[in-house]
Amino acid sequence: MSAQTRQEAEPGAEDGRAAAAARKREQHGWYFYDFACSVYSSSVITVFLGPYLTAVAKAAADAEGYVHPLGIPVRYGSFFAYAVSASVILAVLVMPLVGAVADRTGRKKPLLAAAAYTGATATVGMFFLGGDRYLLGGLLLIVANAALSVSMVLYNAYLPQISTPEERDTVSSRGWAFGYTAGAFVLVLNLVLFQSHDSFGLSEGAAVRICLASAGLWWGAFAIVPLRRLRDRAVVREPGAGPAVSGWKQLIATLKDMRRYPLTLSFLLAYLIYNDGVQTVISQASIYGSEELELEQSTLIVAVLLVQILAVAGALAMGRLAVAYGAKRTILGSLAAWGLTLGAGYFLPARTPVWFFALASMIGLVLGGSQALSRSLFSHLVPAGKEAEYFSAYEMSDRGLSWVGPLVFGLTYQVTGSYRDAIISLVVFFALGFVLLARVPVRRAVEAAGNPVPERV
């Protein structure tokens, strides 16, 4: 290369290095939102809030065991589930609207801040769930859950903007790993406080309320990092384009737009089905452990912690496999592993914690990777400029539409009276999801969305 050629090339190389450094800075900030909000999912939803809110509702129940929110008779044991369902409905209404506003204004970061601090504030407010304040607990749960879903739409929509196609699987996997790391760390601290509450001069209820509120403080504190490092991009606004008037109308408009990209829609359908199985296993595994396997609460909590820890290793390992073999093949492998895990779970002996821990280990190893790679693969299938809008539909598949699995689980138990039959019935979600995903020509789907095709996908 001549001296003149080197002089011409060096400025471009310098610009490339500067762009890569800026991208890395944003990626590091992006990881920290998973680090911030995953504590809510692990400590609040998975471990502490369900039993505690049910106990609060029981304290407020009448002699027949009913509470009466808005004058409607509800069994106190169902209140938590109904509150979660209400949060899903609220999120379904809000997510598409927020996604469309983010895409059309380019101002994702202020919306992310609003959603994050709404959720964090509601979680901190759970400290006041003493006595019989079940209605306050239900309201805070609805707000926090919906805010988390909205924030994840905006968070996920940054992924295509802060990473190249070749980086995306790794970046997504690291985000999940950061989240599971935080979840495991805070869960350990919370369990120490909960189990040693007498040593700290606290009642059991006070210890739980501190654990709940601490998740909100953690969420709010670490959300500062991504809000400082992520940046908004300017958008070219179409003439006459404005925010959608309702979440449902925007969702319908998004799905109509997706018909222009049928392969993207095909992937979303496959994801909806196998993710329904994933979410059902997460929510029902503790019931299977306690009712069918007759395990103690402490055993179940340790199993949740084990899942959190191993999900970090699983997400990172599957991210490396995706680099070598492609995200689609790696996800297909994880779905096969899910099916084998449920098959093994069917044969677990009762009152044998060691085998339940083995099952939790298998779930942890495939959980983080299957979720992370699904997110990164979908990001390749989203047309440029529609990231938040399309990820709102993706997030609804992740959080808003995962109701068929629990229904199948419940109906199977109702008909057979066996939780073993109920858990094995979920294999159909992974089998059907495997078949549908295998039929998606991912490389053509990426091209159809107008995106560069990575070497392996």
Side-chain angles (χ1 to χ4, degrees):
M1 182 182 292
S2 67
Q4 181 179 356
T5 303
R6 283 196 301 271
Q7 290 172 354
E8 291 173 352
E10 285 173 0
E14 185 66 29
D15 290 344
R17 285 193 293 269
R23 195 167 63 248
K24 292 295 183 185
R25 175 179 170 81
E26 280 198 276
Q27 289 170 6
H28 292 155
W30 186 80
Y31 299 149
F32 269 91
Y33 191 69
D34 238 327
F35 192 81
C37 70
S38 292
V39 171
Y40 171 84
S41 299
S42 59
S43 288
V44 176
I45 295 299
T46 306
V47 176
F48 290 110
L49 184 59
Y52 185 72
L53 184 56
T54 300
V56 172
K58 183 178 182 180
D62 59 22
E64 286 75 34
Y66 286 87
V67 291
H68 299 270
L70 304 177
I72 302 171
V74 173
R75 286 191 182 275
Y76 74 84
S78 300
F79 182 73
F80 175 73
Y82 290 153
V84 171
S85 298
S87 73
V88 170
I89 294 171
L90 178 60
V92 165
L93 295 173
V94 176
M95 284 190 295
L97 175 61
V98 172
V101 171
D103 283 335
R104 292 175 181 176
T105 64
R107 293 177 59 80
K108 294 183 181 70
K109 191 158 71 169
L111 294 169
L112 176 60
Y117 284 103
T118 297
T121 301
T123 307
V124 172
M126 293 176 185
F127 178 79
F128 301 101
L129 298 185
D132 59 358
R133 298 172 183 168
Y134 76 97
L135 283 176
L136 175 62
L139 177 62
L140 293 175
L141 169 59
I142 290 169
V143 172
N145 255 13
L148 176 65
S149 295
V150 171
S151 72
M152 292 303 293
V153 168
L154 301 161
Y155 167 71
N156 287 336
Y158 272 104
L159 180 58
Q161 297 178 334
I162 65 171
S163 58
T164 65
E166 288 74 19
E167 295 173 331
R168 212 160 292 165
D169 292 337
T170 300
V171 170
S172 182
S173 297
R174 285 177 179 171
W176 279 104
F178 265 61
Y180 283 116
T181 299
F185 176 72
V186 174
L187 187 56
V188 168
L189 297 180
N190 286 342
L191 289 177
V192 169
L193 176 64
F194 177 73
Q195 293 178 341
S196 306
H197 60 84
D198 288 334
S199 302
F200 294 102
L202 298 170
S203 66
E204 182 176 301
V208 169
R209 290 187 287 113
I210 290 173
C211 291
L212 295 172
S214 67
L217 293 174
W218 182 281
W219 187 355
F222 285 100
I224 295 172
V225 179
L227 293 174
R228 287 179 63 86
R229 292 199 173 188
L230 293 172
R231 62 182 181 85
D232 287 329
R233 274 77 172 167
V235 296
V236 179
R237 300 181 67 176
E238 299 178 4
V245 296
S246 77
W248 281 107
K249 288 183 178 180
Q250 183 55 51
L251 175 62
I252 292 170
T254 300
L255 293 176
K256 285 182 178 179
D257 186 71
M258 278 189 179
R259 290 190 299 184
R260 298 164 52 199
Y261 308 98
L263 298 180
T264 299
L265 199 57
S266 295
F267 170 82
L268 196 61
L269 175 61
Y271 174 75
L272 185 154
I273 291 173
Y274 70 74
N275 182 66
D276 201 350
V278 171
Q279 297 302 322
T280 305
V281 173
I282 292 172
S283 65
Q284 303 302 320
S286 61
I287 295 177
Y288 183 67
S290 61
E291 298 298 324
E292 185 69 34
L293 304 182
E294 303 176 26
L295 299 173
E296 298 291 335
Q297 181 68 31
S298 59
T299 299
L300 301 178
I301 293 175
V302 172
V304 170
L305 180 58
L306 189 60
V307 168
Q308 295 287 317
I309 294 171
L310 290 177
V312 176
L316 295 176
M318 289 180 64
R320 290 181 179 274
L321 288 174
V323 172
Y325 301 104
K328 177 182 173 180
R329 289 182 179 179
T330 307
I331 295 170
L332 289 173
S334 77
L335 297 183
W338 272 107
L340 292 173
T341 300
L342 292 181
Y346 178 85
F347 295 102
L348 287 186
R351 298 181 297 279
T352 312
V354 65
W355 288 112
F356 191 71
F357 291 150
L359 182 70
S361 300
M362 294 170 68
I363 290 174
L365 288 173
V366 295
L367 175 62
S370 58
Q371 291 176 319
L373 293 179
S374 296
R375 176 173 65 185
S376 62
L377 182 54
F378 183 70
S379 72
H380 290 289
L381 311 182
V382 177
K386 295 180 178 291
E387 292 86 2
E389 187 177 339
Y390 272 51
F391 265 110
S392 69
Y394 176 88
E395 189 68 15
M396 287 178 63
S397 297
D398 189 12
R399 298 175 185 273
L401 299 179
S402 296
W403 57 271
V404 179
L407 179 62
V408 169
F409 186 92
L411 289 176
T412 303
Y413 177 75
Q414 182 172 330
V415 170
T416 67
S418 169
Y419 281 109
R420 294 184 186 273
D421 292 336
I423 202 75
I424 202 67
S425 72
L426 301 179
V427 171
V428 68
F429 290 91
F430 298 102
L432 183 56
F434 183 100
V435 171
L436 292 176
L437 177 59
R439 292 170 59 86
V440 178
V442 173
R443 192 167 292 275
R444 275 202 291 128
V446 177
E447 292 174 345
N451 295 322
V453 182
E455 183 178 349
R456 288 187 175 87
V457 67

